[in-house]
Amino acid sequence: MGFFFVKNLNIQQVELDTLLKQANAITTHVPLTQTGEHPTYHLINAETLTMMKPETILINSARGAVVEEAALIADILKNQRRVVLDVFEHEPEISEELLKIIKQLNITNKETIKIDENEEYLVFGSFLVVEKFLSLIGFNESL
């Protein structure tokens, strides 16, 4: 079915390196695997981030460790890359450094909820990911 869809819409399939170099937005939707023919652990890392245009938007809706957090932080600081994160590499622990960058640059959608007076939690969801991506590409209609 996937090939039929691609064939009928005249969409060109390319190698990952080509996709990384040419895409305006990259979104991940893969399982987290460390073995096999195509492992996805740290699929997005310093090398792959360098291949992307600085203005390419990165969306991670897969598993946190698909994106190497340290490389992502360095890339955001260097290129001001716009990212939308629904997951984090070391969940349930979330890097304070990454959260600080996200809040300072307002680069991902987030909502906070208070469980009690001392704890505040970030809530991420698929709807927020889509909404933030649309705003990053200039689509400002209310969903």
Side-chain angles (χ1 to χ4, degrees):
M1 182 71 172
F3 175 74
F4 179 77
F5 172 78
V6 170
K7 184 177 177 183
N8 283 330
L9 289 181
N10 240 354
I11 296 173
Q12 179 185 8
Q13 293 183 346
V14 297
E15 295 294 321
L16 180 60
D17 290 359
T18 302
L19 176 93
L20 292 169
K21 292 174 186 174
Q22 295 179 357
N24 294 322
I26 295 173
T27 181
T28 60
H29 302 275
V30 296
L32 181 61
T33 61
Q34 295 192 22
T35 60
E37 187 177 350
H38 301 289
T40 61
Y41 177 79
H42 287 178
L43 176 68
I44 305 298
N45 54 43
E47 180 182 351
T48 55
L49 287 163
T50 301
M51 291 181 197
M52 294 180 200
K53 299 178 287 188
E55 63 273 12
T56 297
I57 299 168
L58 176 63
I59 303 167
N60 187 12
S61 293
R63 297 288 179 254
V66 169
V67 176
E68 182 183 2
E69 189 173 277
L72 179 63
I73 290 170
D75 182 72
I76 291 169
L77 292 173
K78 178 181 177 188
N79 295 310
Q80 302 292 297
R81 181 165 320 279
R82 297 176 294 167
V83 300
V84 181
L85 304 172
D86 192 31
V87 292
F88 297 88
E89 181 173 4
H90 304 288
E91 287 182 0
E93 298 296 320
I94 300 175
S95 162
E96 288 186 31
E97 180 182 10
L98 182 56
L99 284 180
K100 181 179 175 185
I101 293 167
I102 287 170
K103 287 178 181 180
Q104 285 177 342
L105 299 177
N106 192 27
I107 55 176
T108 194
N109 214 338
K110 57 202 171 294
E111 286 188 12
T112 58
I113 59 171
K114 289 206 181 272
I115 301 300
D116 63 39
E117 291 182 6
N118 299 319
E119 295 189 62
E120 188 172 294
Y121 294 87
L122 292 174
V123 177
F124 296 84
S126 297
F127 179 78
L128 295 175
V129 170
V130 171
E131 185 178 57
K132 184 60 179 182
F133 172 71
L134 291 174
S135 74
L136 288 174
I137 63 169
F139 185 84
N140 295 317
E141 296 293 322
S142 175
L143 299 176

